[in-house]
Amino acid sequence: MKAFNEVCLMVRKPALEVMSYLRQTNYSFPVNRYVLYGVLGSGKTNILAHLIHFCFKQNWMIVHVPWPSLYIRFPREIVPSTYKEGRVDLPYYAVAWLQNFKIQNANLLQSLQPRIKNKYTWSIREVSEEGSLLTDMIEHGINRVKFSSDCVGAVLKEIKLLASDGTFRVLVAVDGVNAFFRPTTKLKRENRSPVSSDDISLVWNFRKMLKTDWKNGAVITSVDTLASPSDQRESHLPRYLLEKQGFELMDPFIPVCVDIYNLKEIHSCLDYYIDRRWIQEIGRASCRERV
């Protein structure tokens, strides 16, 4: 994006396949779940970005978790949960996600002005009343960092309720979803004891979005070897990377294979680089010969 000062996506078969499924889906039934899989570097993240753009253009609400492995491997700030004893909050990542969600769905939040269906008490003086704007609760989580992780959980809960009531359709997109089910993390409590992924508030709340207890939406995820521990990267298949816990939660799902570039896609990519003068024109023939 920085090199060419623009964002371009190659239209590939896996993206078209999922788009076809989305167009034919009956959204009065529980959400369908899709899992993109393929070898490292095959283009799963770009396919997911294409599908996010497709749903965004259809006026869907986007719940995007770009790379949850960050929560597991690179913790920034760890504090005890204000909601449930034993869990830990990651306020830095919670605020970042709320800000991204607000920006990504700004037009829909402004036009529909969805209102929450439950009352949430944050402290003696801080309450989100039933019927108040969803954007107010998002702002509360951004401004009151202490409650940011709890606000993420409340926002996700309300999104499921609003989607099921037909207020809007929702796309849940997670890149490297197998990170949610890693048995170990790099997080430590104040007493230096390890924190499992089950005890991270953000992970717990985002996992709920993967369930089929709501409708009028879709869940599109990818599995990635880089999101698994370094000693568990022998296969790129969903059953292996999700492990028992993740596979049981996601099952049933629709697997979508993302292969490496075929010859036509390679030529298309090279032509784009030549058109943007990233590759010299004299190299067009030699490049084609090599591939």
Side-chain angles (χ1 to χ4, degrees):
M1 183 173 73
K2 293 181 179 179
F4 302 128
N5 199 30
E6 65 179 1
V7 178
C8 292
L9 292 170
M10 183 182 295
V11 178
R12 301 186 65 197
K13 184 177 178 180
L16 297 177
E17 179 183 347
V18 177
M19 289 178 191
S20 175
Y21 295 150
L22 294 176
R23 292 190 183 99
Q24 300 175 59
T25 298
N26 185 340
Y27 291 99
S28 63
F29 290 101
V31 293
N32 289 331
R33 295 173 292 190
Y34 307 86
V35 176
L36 306 174
Y37 70 97
V39 298
L40 185 64
S42 59
K44 299 182 291 296
T45 300
N46 284 336
I47 295 295
L48 189 61
H50 192 179
L51 294 169
I52 291 173
H53 179 263
F54 171 78
C55 292
F56 175 81
K57 298 296 286 185
Q58 304 295 319
N59 291 321
W60 288 37
M61 185 72 74
I62 308 298
V63 177
H64 183 208
V65 187
W67 190 246
S69 186
L70 290 175
Y71 311 153
I72 309 298
R73 299 174 58 194
F74 305 103
R76 298 291 292 268
E77 181 183 1
I78 306 171
V79 298
S81 173
T82 58
Y83 176 72
K84 187 174 181 63
E85 184 178 356
R87 287 188 196 159
V88 298
D89 291 344
L90 303 176
Y92 173 86
Y93 288 122
V95 170
W97 186 86
L98 287 169
Q99 291 173 331
N100 183 67
F101 177 82
K102 176 186 172 184
I103 294 171
Q104 208 165 26
N105 299 285
N107 292 338
L108 209 57
L109 291 171
Q110 177 64 31
S111 61
L112 296 180
Q113 295 193 340
R115 298 180 180 273
I116 63 177
K117 298 180 177 293
N118 296 283
K119 177 181 177 180
Y120 299 91
T121 302
W122 312 109
S123 66
I124 297 176
R125 297 183 179 180
E126 297 171 294
V127 178
S128 295
E129 295 288 351
E130 178 184 351
S132 60
L133 291 173
L134 181 64
T135 50
D136 292 342
M137 189 159 64
I138 295 171
E139 289 290 350
H140 180 74
I142 294 172
N143 297 325
R144 294 286 282 125
V145 178
K146 177 181 179 181
F147 303 113
S148 57
S149 292
D150 295 334
C151 278
V152 170
V155 168
L156 295 176
K157 177 181 178 180
E158 291 297 326
I159 287 173
K160 291 170 73 172
L161 293 174
L162 290 166
S164 297
D165 285 351
T167 305
F168 44 65
R169 284 183 182 168
V170 176
L171 169 68
V172 178
V174 185
D175 192 12
V177 70
N178 46 308
F180 284 151
F181 309 104
R182 288 182 59 147
T184 59
T185 72
K186 292 190 176 182
L187 280 69
K188 301 288 184 182
R189 303 181 193 275
E190 293 180 351
N191 60 6
R192 307 306 298 170
S193 62
V195 177
S196 71
S197 58
D198 294 334
D199 293 331
I200 302 174
S201 298
L202 281 180
V203 172
W204 183 266
N205 289 323
F206 284 128
R207 278 185 190 172
K208 290 182 180 179
M209 297 300 292
L210 305 178
K211 296 182 178 179
T212 56
D213 57 352
W214 58 290
K215 60 184 180 180
N216 201 26
V219 177
I220 305 178
T221 67
S222 72
V223 289
D224 198 301
T225 53
L226 292 181
S228 290
S230 57
D231 59 346
Q232 297 179 19
R233 300 178 180 177
E234 297 176 4
S235 173
H236 64 271
L237 298 178
R239 179 63 182 88
Y240 176 82
L241 293 175
L242 288 171
E243 300 189 56
K244 184 176 185 294
Q245 181 185 14
F247 191 82
E248 289 179 351
L249 177 64
M250 294 292 292
D251 187 50
F253 62 85
I254 301 172
V256 180
C257 181
V258 180
D259 290 319
I260 60 175
Y261 278 3
N262 58 34
L263 194 60
K264 184 177 181 181
E265 290 170 333
I266 293 174
H267 288 164
S268 177
C269 185
L270 290 173
D271 288 341
Y272 173 76
Y273 288 150
I274 292 171
D275 181 68
R276 292 297 181 268
R277 300 183 184 277
W278 195 253
I279 297 177
Q280 294 182 5
E281 179 72 19
I282 193 173
R284 182 192 296 264
S286 60
C287 286
R288 287 183 177 275
E289 290 172 2
R290 290 180 182 179
V291 298

